[in-house]
């Protein structure tokens, strides 16, 4: 029990240590504004890594639900670590002045224009200078502030790659203008909006009209999602919308699931390793996150290779594992499986023996590698004397090799659960 309390205390200490507040002076407004910063747990450990930015308006009440959903998703590796920033706007109802717009143009004006320029010209450059921020940035807001964030679509060089618009209060003309901007994007862009049956009727009508116009867009670079929640109010829709938005935006990041395996991978006759490299190249291109292939994703591709019989895929996997996990036995295991399944047992034995000298990884152990090598040695032809003229006679032991993995082989033909590394609470 004492150890449990110590663990909880350490966890709370780490959480408190990584969450801070800062006061920034807004030159455009001639005033100070408080922001809340939550850095990733690994921020001080990996000094070369950059992290996506999630910028939350109305920080007093939107920061906490975003923080909780991000932490939960990251625990299961469905969402990457991010830098979370909240701008506090409700001490004196600043959010209304911050979101002020011109009635004729629908664009930020007066104090709203100044706040808009503060984010674009002061806050983002300040954060990029102080923290290791990746190019991928998300902005989120509710009603008035959700209406404001749409104005960033009009920047010549977009500062945000994803928009989370929760029950937005849309300015004049935005029902037509937002789709026009989304239709012309030349970079991958994520756009999420939500309403509910208990939302304000004026908001509902505008949001649904906007949804109809966005749905008609035929731009493959636009990733759009709309939710109309039942039995939810203007405020409770936030707790439904945040996880839906985050999981939509980071869908490409998630490990290979059982559904993805069955619907996209298991049906491939070949090129399974290419599917894997394409997946991680998409993660890097879309989110700015460069990462090694997850070990669970290797397992899923190995299972598909076994099922299809396209054993050259093992050799292709070895090119990936050899680069990303060079000190482990994963490369030698992949090469050994390639030669074993193509019945070149002598070379397979060599790679299993080489693996014995490397670091264990996943279910791959030294005992397993030596056992595999010993089993395959029995299948290698041996020469024995005994024929006339002193010619050798080949004696091959009849030990069948199955094309399905044995109990100590870390692949299965069809993952029954999400094929990723299991994390336990």
């Amino acid at each position: 029990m004492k150890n449990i309390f110590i663990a909880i205390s350490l966890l709370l200490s780490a959480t408190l240590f990584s969450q801070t507040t800062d006061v920034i002076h807004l030159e455009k407004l001639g005033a100070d504004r408080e922001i809340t910063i939550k850095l990733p747990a690994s921020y001080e450990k990996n000094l070369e890594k950059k992290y996506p930015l999630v910028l939350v308006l109305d920080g007093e009440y939107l920061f906490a639900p975003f923080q909780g959903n991000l932490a939960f998703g990251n625990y299961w590796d469905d969402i990457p670590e991010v830098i979370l920033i909240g701008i506090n706007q409700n001490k004196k109802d600043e959010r209304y002045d911050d979101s002020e717009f011109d009635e004729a143009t629908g664009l930020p004006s007066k104090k709203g224009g100044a706040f808009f320029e503060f984010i674009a010209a002061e806050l983002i450059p300040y954060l990029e200078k102080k923290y290791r921020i990746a190019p991928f940035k998300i902005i989120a807001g509710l009603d008035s502030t959700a209406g404001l964030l749409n104005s960033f679509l009009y920047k010549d060089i977009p500062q945000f790659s994803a928009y989370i618009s929760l029950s937005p209060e849309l300015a004049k003309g935005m029902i037509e203008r937002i789709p026009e901007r989304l239709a012309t994007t030349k970079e991958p862009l994520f756009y999420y909006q939500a309403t509910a049956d208990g939302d304000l009727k004026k908001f509902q009508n505008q949001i649904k009209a906007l949804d109809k116009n966005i749905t008609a867009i035929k731009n493959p670079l636009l990733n759009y999602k709309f939710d109309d929640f039942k039995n939810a109010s203007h405020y409770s829709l936030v707790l439904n919308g945040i996880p839906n938005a985050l999981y939509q935006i980071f869908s490409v990041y998630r490990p290979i699931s059982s559904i993805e395996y069955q619907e996209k991978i298991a049906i491939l006759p070949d090129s399974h390793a290419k599917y894997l490299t394409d997946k991680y190249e998409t993660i890097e291109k879309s989110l700015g996150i460069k990462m090694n292939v997850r070990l669970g994703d290797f397992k899923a591709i190995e299972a598909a290779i076994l099922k299809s019989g396209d054993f050259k895929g093992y050799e292709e996997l070895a090119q990936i594992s050899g680069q990303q996990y060079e000190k482990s036995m994963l490369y030698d295991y992949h090469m050994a499986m390639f030669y074993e399944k193509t019945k070149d047992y002598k070379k397979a034995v060599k790679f299993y023996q080489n693996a014995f000298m490397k670091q264990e990884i996943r279910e791959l152990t030294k005992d397993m590698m030596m056992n595999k090598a010993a089993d395959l040695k029995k299948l290698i032809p041996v020469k024995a004397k005994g024929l006339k003229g002193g010619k050798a006679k080949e004696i091959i032991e009849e030990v069948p090799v199955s094309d399905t993995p044995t109990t100590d082989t870390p692949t299965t033909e069809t993952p029954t659960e999400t094929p990723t590394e299991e994390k336990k609470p």
Side-chain angles (χ1 to χ4, degrees):
M1 183 63 72
K2 180 180 179 181
N3 291 336
I4 292 176
F5 284 121
I6 292 174
I8 293 173
S9 298
L10 290 174
L11 178 61
L12 290 174
S13 298
T15 302
L16 292 172
F17 178 78
S18 59
Q19 179 173 321
T20 59
T21 57
D22 198 355
V23 176
I24 298 181
H25 183 72
L26 286 69
E27 294 292 342
K28 301 291 182 181
L29 290 177
D32 293 338
R33 191 61 59 85
E34 184 179 84
I35 64 171
T36 305
I37 306 107
K38 178 69 171 66
L39 297 178
S42 67
Y43 190 82
E44 298 299 334
K45 300 175 185 176
N46 191 343
L47 300 180
E48 301 298 321
K49 185 176 180 179
K50 292 186 176 182
Y51 301 85
L53 171 70
V54 178
L55 180 63
V56 177
L57 307 178
D58 287 317
E60 286 93 341
Y61 48 79
L62 287 185
F63 187 91
F66 266 93
Q67 181 180 359
N69 279 281
L70 288 164
F72 182 85
N74 178 251
Y75 183 87
W76 300 107
D77 202 22
D78 287 337
I79 294 175
E81 287 187 302
V82 304
I83 294 174
L84 176 62
I85 304 291
I87 306 178
N88 296 336
Q89 300 177 260
N90 290 274
K91 285 188 176 180
K92 298 179 181 179
D93 290 333
E94 301 97 329
R95 69 190 305 270
Y96 299 109
D97 287 340
D98 292 345
S99 305
E100 190 174 2
F101 59 86
D102 186 280
E103 292 289 347
T105 66
L107 297 175
S109 66
K110 300 179 182 177
K111 289 186 177 181
F115 183 74
F116 174 83
E117 288 301 323
F118 155 69
I119 294 176
E122 296 181 49
L123 180 61
I124 296 298
Y126 169 81
L127 295 173
E128 289 178 328
K129 184 177 180 180
K130 188 170 183 179
Y131 303 108
R132 299 191 306 275
I133 293 176
F136 191 81
K137 302 178 184 69
I138 302 171
I139 187 169
L142 172 67
D143 53 55
S144 297
T145 58
L148 172 74
L149 62 82
N150 286 296
S151 301
F152 287 96
L153 290 167
Y154 287 84
K155 300 289 288 186
D156 292 333
I157 301 176
Q159 288 181 300
F160 296 98
S161 305
Y163 297 76
I164 300 177
S165 183
L166 302 167
S167 184
E169 181 179 2
L170 297 169
K172 182 179 179 179
M174 285 299 172
I175 293 174
E176 294 77 29
R177 291 175 181 175
I178 292 172
E180 289 173 0
R181 297 298 294 180
L182 297 178
T184 59
T185 182
K186 292 180 172 53
E187 297 292 335
L189 189 146
F190 298 82
Y191 192 89
Y192 175 89
Q193 66 167 347
T195 185
D197 55 7
D199 202 357
L200 301 176
K201 289 298 180 183
K202 178 183 176 181
F203 288 6
Q204 284 188 62
N205 295 336
Q206 291 180 326
I207 294 167
K208 289 178 180 178
L210 176 58
D211 169 61
K212 183 178 179 180
N213 290 341
I214 296 178
T215 303
I217 295 174
K218 306 297 182 184
N219 187 340
L221 294 175
L222 174 63
N223 186 319
Y224 172 64
K225 181 176 176 62
F226 168 67
D227 278 322
D228 184 3
F229 296 109
K230 305 304 177 185
N231 302 316
S233 69
H234 176 68
Y235 296 107
S236 66
L237 71 84
V238 170
L239 299 180
N240 293 288
I242 291 175
N244 283 12
L246 292 174
Y247 271 77
Q248 175 73 7
I249 292 169
F250 291 115
S251 60
V252 68
Y253 174 85
R254 294 202 294 268
I256 294 173
S257 65
S258 296
I259 294 175
E260 183 180 357
Y261 176 87
Q262 295 289 354
E263 295 182 353
K264 297 183 179 181
I265 301 173
I267 61 175
L268 294 174
D270 51 35
S271 302
H272 300 94
K274 184 178 184 303
Y275 180 93
L276 195 63
T277 55
D278 287 349
K279 177 181 176 72
Y280 281 81
E281 285 175 2
T282 301
I283 292 173
E284 183 175 3
K285 182 178 180 180
S286 299
L287 306 178
I289 299 173
K290 186 175 180 61
M291 57 188 294
N292 287 347
V293 173
R294 298 174 178 91
L295 299 179
D297 288 351
F298 272 123
K299 289 178 65 176
I301 298 302
E302 290 166 15
I305 290 170
L306 277 175
K307 184 175 182 179
S308 68
D310 179 37
F311 300 130
K312 184 173 176 56
Y314 277 116
E315 190 177 33
E316 294 166 348
L317 282 185
Q319 303 310 308
I320 304 171
S321 57
Q323 292 179 356
Q324 298 185 4
Y325 297 92
E326 58 181 344
K327 294 183 180 180
S328 79
M329 55 177 64
L330 195 54
Y331 165 80
D332 296 283
Y333 168 75
H334 285 148
M335 290 302 298
M337 286 294 289
F338 167 68
Y339 285 116
E340 178 183 343
K341 295 306 178 183
T342 54
K343 296 183 168 39
D344 190 339
Y345 303 126
K346 195 169 184 178
K347 288 184 179 178
V349 168
K350 176 185 175 183
F351 278 102
Y352 280 128
Q353 290 175 334
N354 287 346
F356 181 82
M357 308 301 294
K358 304 285 185 67
Q359 294 177 1
E360 295 182 346
I361 184 171
R362 210 175 68 193
E363 299 92 338
L364 307 182
T365 65
K366 294 181 184 294
D367 287 344
M368 173 189 166
M369 296 304 158
M370 293 311 293
N371 290 337
K372 293 285 290 184
D375 290 342
L376 290 185
K377 280 182 180 180
K378 300 174 183 177
L379 301 175
I380 300 174
V382 295
K383 296 181 178 180
K385 294 181 179 180
L387 294 182
K388 290 183 179 180
K391 293 183 178 180
K393 175 184 177 182
E394 285 192 345
I395 302 175
I396 302 177
E397 296 189 41
E398 299 292 334
V399 180
V401 177
S402 171
D403 279 346
T404 57
T406 58
T407 54
D408 58 359
T409 303
T411 54
T412 56
E413 292 204 2
T414 305
T416 56
E417 298 180 0
T418 300
T420 185
E421 290 186 281
E422 182 181 359
K423 295 182 181 179
K424 297 181 179 179

